[in-house]
Amino acid sequence: MTRSVERPVLFLDVDGPLIPFGPSSRRLQPRAAGSAAFSDEGNPLLGRLDQAVGLRLMALGCELVWASTWMNDANESVAPWIGLPRLPVVEWPEASTHEGPRGLHWKTRHLVEWAGHRPFIWVDDEIGAMDRLWVAAQHQGPSLLHRVDPAQGLTDGDFSVLADWLRTAVPGLAVPTRVEGDSGRLGRRSGGR
């Protein structure tokens, strides 16, 4: 008899993790062949998106959810560039009624509520110590709050951390041993690999 494993949620921010802010170590990417229908909508930073990252994220086996101020614009502008389908979107409250300890990111409470009892990963460039403490105290299941260097965006090293955590925290989830990237497009690799 096989036990069904509940898929963890992977909350994904756009600016920083997918679109690096710093002087780009990645070349601006031309659109993939056949993607001429997708406009950059006047945003030249969309060219910094790594087209291989969508497949790498899907290979993790999580339910991918946009957790970005891009909201549904991420489905319209970002997803086509990186090969992702339409994803669910965390809807943020109209006005930030920031309740909680000093240093708690305004997204943290909403992501824990959205995840419910499910294991989750939050990939963002603004995660801090207070967020980790608050989630540890408020969320019953396993969680990984993974801060991405906004100057680099998601790297091979980040994908290794995510895959390793999933194999440990969610036994029975089919996670590849390595979540391969296209080294020609990834640019700089973490740890010199």
Side-chain angles (χ1 to χ4, degrees):
M1 175 151 77
T2 33
R3 189 185 81 156
S4 176
V5 175
E6 188 171 33
R7 285 183 6 162
V9 178
L10 192 154
F11 294 113
L12 186 60
D13 187 27
V14 172
D15 293 318
L18 297 180
I19 300 177
F21 292 135
S24 181
S25 62
R26 301 175 189 176
R27 302 186 320 273
L28 290 179
Q29 300 290 319
R31 277 180 240 151
S35 68
F38 305 122
S39 165
D40 67 7
E41 299 177 21
N43 186 341
L45 294 180
L46 291 176
R48 291 186 178 205
L49 290 165
D50 178 353
Q51 294 175 356
V53 79
L55 290 174
R56 295 180 80 186
L57 287 165
M58 289 191 300
L60 292 170
C62 298
E63 177 187 354
L64 302 176
V65 176
W66 295 119
S68 171
T69 56
W70 281 66
M71 297 181 66
N72 202 50
D73 287 343
N75 279 321
E76 304 303 323
S77 299
V78 177
W81 277 75
I82 61 176
L84 288 177
R86 292 187 68 78
L87 302 177
V89 177
V90 175
E91 298 289 332
W92 307 115
E94 286 296 319
S96 178
T97 56
H98 187 73
E99 296 175 13
R102 173 178 251 173
L104 185 67
H105 195 285
W106 62 269
K107 293 180 182 179
T108 308
R109 298 171 55 118
H110 304 289
L111 298 181
V112 169
E113 288 173 17
W114 207 99
H117 68 280
R118 293 170 66 185
F120 76 89
I121 296 173
W122 175 19
V123 175
D124 204 309
D125 61 311
E126 297 181 347
I127 295 169
M130 183 54 70
D131 301 304
R132 288 183 177 88
L133 290 170
W134 198 88
V135 170
Q138 300 297 319
H139 183 63
Q140 300 287 319
S143 61
L144 172 66
L145 280 63
H146 184 72
R147 186 185 179 284
V148 173
D149 179 350
Q152 295 296 313
L154 281 166
T155 64
D156 288 351
D158 294 311
F159 277 101
S160 291
V161 169
L162 302 178
D164 290 347
W165 182 84
L166 284 165
R167 278 191 294 279
T168 303
V170 189
L173 183 68
V175 181
T177 304
R178 280 189 49 106
V179 182
E180 294 294 332
D182 178 349
S183 61
R185 290 197 174 148
L186 267 180
R188 209 173 125 195
R189 291 175 163 240
S190 222
R193 288 186 260 170

